[in-house]
Amino acid sequence: MPPPEDLHRQLEALRPQLLRFAQLQLRDGALAEDAVQDTLIAVLEKPERFAGQSSLRTYVTGILKFKIIDNLRAATRERPLEPLDEQSEAEAVDALFAADGHTRELPRQWGEPERVLEQKDFFRVLELCLEKLPARMARIFMMREWLELDTEEICKECAISAANLWVLLYRARLRLRECLDLNWFGARAAD
């Protein structure tokens, strides 16, 4: 763990990269700024959690990834209340409730919290597997599968041919499958 002043300096140097990454994913400057700030605060509040098993950049990007995912999920759950043209905001809120004070529509099912936790554990294992890939291969895999860039964009960004891209993606998927078989599916079967 670097001394606090070094940690602050390193995080400040990472901030522009983190912000670009968050903006690319969230497509909203304010949300991206909030996600980056939440990430940096999380690191600064508990610096002892960084065990040094990966680079600080990888560690912080991993935290940011989960903040982005939380933002994306929240955006699908939350809809802004939009009053009809002739309705005031107060009338729009009142329209959500019956005369007895109960909501007119029941909330959607929350799903299974245990399954959500299991899914978070899976993504932690996946992230560890990605860290074991060669850096270039991991970057290309993330560009394709997580950032959903098309072949042309990835080839241009990485200065590779489409054939080379497909070979690298194939190899990345094989290695990830092997890693997940050993560290997730194999461990789950043993339980």
Side-chain angles (χ1 to χ4, degrees), residues 165-176:
L165 169 67
W166 293 112
V167 168
L168 288 168
L169 288 172
Y170 176 75
R171 289 178 181 167
R173 289 179 182 125
L174 282 179
R175 287 185 176 189
L176 288 171

Side-chain angles (χ1 to χ4, degrees), residues 118-132:
E118 188 175 286
Q119 189 175 25
K120 284 185 179 181
D121 289 342
F122 172 78
F123 282 111
R124 284 189 195 104
V125 172
L126 177 61
E127 185 177 342
L128 291 172
C129 290
L130 280 166
E131 288 178 11
K132 292 179 182 180

Side-chain angles (χ1 to χ4, degrees), residues 76-114:
T76 60
R77 285 191 310 262
E78 300 169 0
R79 295 180 304 198
L81 181 62
E82 297 178 16
L84 300 173
D85 292 335
E86 64 276 350
Q87 233 180 9
S88 72
E89 201 169 320
E91 290 170 329
V93 171
D94 289 342
L96 297 173
F97 299 95
D100 63 1
H102 290 90
T103 58
R104 292 190 189 274
E105 293 179 32
L106 292 175
R108 284 185 274 149
Q109 188 70 300
W110 284 20
E112 301 171 39
E114 288 178 15

